[in-house]
Amino acid sequence: MKLEILERKIRIPDNIKAEIDHGIVTLDGPLGNLSRLLYNPKTIIEQSGGNIILHAKKATRREKRMIGTFVAHINNMITGVTEGFTYYLKICSGHFPIKVTLEGNRV
Protein backbone atom coordinates (compact mmCIF):
# COMPACT_ATOMS: atom_id res chain seq x y z
CA MET A 1 0.00 0.00 0.00
CA LYS A 2 1.43 3.36 -0.98
CA LEU A 3 1.27 6.31 1.35
CA GLU A 4 0.40 9.61 -0.30
CA ILE A 5 3.11 11.51 1.62
CA LEU A 6 5.57 10.05 4.12
CA GLU A 7 7.40 12.60 6.27
CA ARG A 8 9.83 12.22 9.18
CA LYS A 9 11.38 15.08 11.15
CA ILE A 10 14.62 15.01 13.12
CA ARG A 11 15.25 17.82 15.57
CA ILE A 12 18.81 19.11 15.48
CA PRO A 13 20.20 20.27 18.85
CA ASP A 14 21.21 23.93 19.19
CA ASN A 15 24.96 23.22 19.42
CA ILE A 16 25.05 21.42 16.05
CA LYS A 17 25.25 23.07 12.64
CA ALA A 18 23.69 21.03 9.83
CA GLU A 19 24.15 21.43 6.07
CA ILE A 20 22.56 19.47 3.24
CA ASP A 21 24.02 19.68 -0.25
CA HIS A 22 22.94 17.30 -3.05
CA GLY A 23 22.27 14.41 -0.65
CA ILE A 24 25.39 14.95 1.47
CA VAL A 25 24.42 15.60 5.09
CA THR A 26 27.15 17.35 7.11
CA LEU A 27 26.91 17.90 10.86
CA ASP A 28 29.37 20.09 12.80
CA GLY A 29 29.32 19.71 16.57
CA PRO A 30 31.51 20.16 19.63
CA LEU A 31 33.43 16.90 19.00
CA GLY A 32 34.06 17.41 15.29
CA ASN A 33 32.19 17.03 12.05
CA LEU A 34 30.68 14.13 10.14
CA SER A 35 29.39 13.95 6.61
CA ARG A 36 27.58 11.17 4.84
CA LEU A 37 26.00 10.68 1.44
CA LEU A 38 22.32 9.84 1.92
CA TYR A 39 20.82 9.67 -1.54
CA ASN A 40 17.73 7.98 -2.87
CA PRO A 41 16.02 9.31 -6.01
CA LYS A 42 12.53 9.15 -4.45
CA THR A 43 13.50 10.57 -1.05
CA ILE A 44 13.92 14.29 -0.44
CA ILE A 45 16.07 15.60 2.42
CA GLU A 46 15.57 19.22 3.44
CA GLN A 47 16.56 21.47 6.31
CA SER A 48 13.94 23.72 7.85
CA GLY A 49 14.83 25.76 10.91
CA GLY A 50 16.20 23.41 13.53
CA ASN A 51 14.91 20.27 11.82
CA ILE A 52 15.96 17.91 9.07
CA ILE A 53 12.92 16.73 7.16
CA LEU A 54 12.87 13.56 5.07
CA HIS A 55 9.87 12.94 2.86
CA ALA A 56 8.71 10.92 -0.10
CA LYS A 57 5.57 11.13 -2.21
CA LYS A 58 3.67 7.93 -2.97
CA ALA A 59 6.02 6.00 -0.70
CA THR A 60 6.20 2.24 -1.07
CA ARG A 61 7.76 -0.14 1.45
CA ARG A 62 11.17 0.49 -0.10
CA GLU A 63 10.97 4.26 0.49
CA LYS A 64 9.68 3.69 4.03
CA ARG A 65 12.69 1.52 4.76
CA MET A 66 15.11 4.00 3.19
CA ILE A 67 13.71 6.89 5.22
CA GLY A 68 13.96 4.79 8.40
CA THR A 69 17.58 3.97 7.55
CA PHE A 70 18.39 7.61 6.85
CA VAL A 71 16.79 8.68 10.15
CA ALA A 72 18.90 6.12 12.02
CA HIS A 73 22.09 7.30 10.29
CA ILE A 74 21.39 10.96 11.06
CA ASN A 75 20.58 10.17 14.70
CA ASN A 76 23.86 8.25 14.99
CA MET A 77 25.71 11.19 13.43
CA ILE A 78 24.15 13.53 16.00
CA THR A 79 25.31 11.21 18.79
CA GLY A 80 28.78 11.08 17.26
CA VAL A 81 29.32 14.84 17.11
CA THR A 82 27.87 15.50 20.60
CA GLU A 83 28.81 12.52 22.79
CA GLY A 84 31.31 10.58 20.71
CA PHE A 85 31.66 6.83 20.41
CA THR A 86 33.71 4.36 22.40
CA TYR A 87 34.83 1.16 20.72
CA TYR A 88 35.73 -1.89 22.79
CA LEU A 89 37.89 -4.61 21.33
CA LYS A 90 37.99 -8.10 22.77
CA ILE A 91 40.82 -10.27 21.56
CA CYS A 92 40.45 -14.01 21.97
CA SER A 93 42.21 -16.92 20.37
CA GLY A 94 40.29 -20.08 19.65
CA HIS A 95 42.82 -22.11 17.74
CA PHE A 96 45.69 -20.14 16.25
CA PRO A 97 48.07 -18.28 18.55
CA ILE A 98 47.80 -14.51 18.33
CA LYS A 99 50.39 -11.95 19.40
CA VAL A 100 49.05 -8.49 20.25
CA THR A 101 51.10 -5.52 21.33
CA LEU A 102 49.97 -2.12 22.54
CA GLU A 103 52.07 0.96 21.75
CA GLY A 104 50.46 4.07 23.21
CA ASN A 105 46.93 4.08 21.84
CA ARG A 106 47.78 1.85 18.87
CA VAL A 107 47.14 -1.91 18.81
Side-chain angles (χ1 to χ4, degrees):
M1 181 173 103
K2 291 184 180 183
L3 293 176
E4 196 61 36
I5 295 176
L6 175 65
E7 182 174 290
R8 298 279 303 267
K9 290 184 182 180
I10 304 169
R11 192 180 92 51
I12 302 297
D14 295 333
N15 59 347
I16 295 177
K17 179 184 167 199
E19 294 179 14
I20 300 170
D21 184 36
H22 295 90
I24 298 174
V25 178
T26 304
L27 299 178
D28 293 322
L31 295 181
N33 62 351
L34 290 172
S35 62
R36 186 170 189 128
L37 174 64
L38 301 175
Y39 175 74
N40 185 10
K42 295 185 179 181
T43 303
I44 300 167
I45 303 175
E46 298 174 338
Q47 183 177 1
S48 174
N51 295 322
I52 292 180
I53 301 170
L54 296 100
H55 58 88
K57 295 179 182 176
K58 303 221 183 223
T60 61
R61 288 190 326 181
R62 176 171 289 192
E63 281 80 34
K64 293 177 201 174
R65 289 185 296 208
M66 289 303 295
I67 287 179
T69 301
F70 290 171
V71 167
H73 284 307
I74 293 170
N75 285 331
N76 288 337
M77 290 170 66
I78 290 170
T79 302
V81 297
T82 56
E83 301 170 18
F85 291 107
T86 303
Y87 293 99
Y88 295 98
L89 176 66
K90 182 177 180 180
I91 301 171
C92 53
S93 172
H95 180 67
F96 298 103
I98 299 173
K99 181 180 178 184
V100 178
T101 58
L102 182 66
E103 297 174 5
N105 60 356
R106 187 174 163 167
V107 178

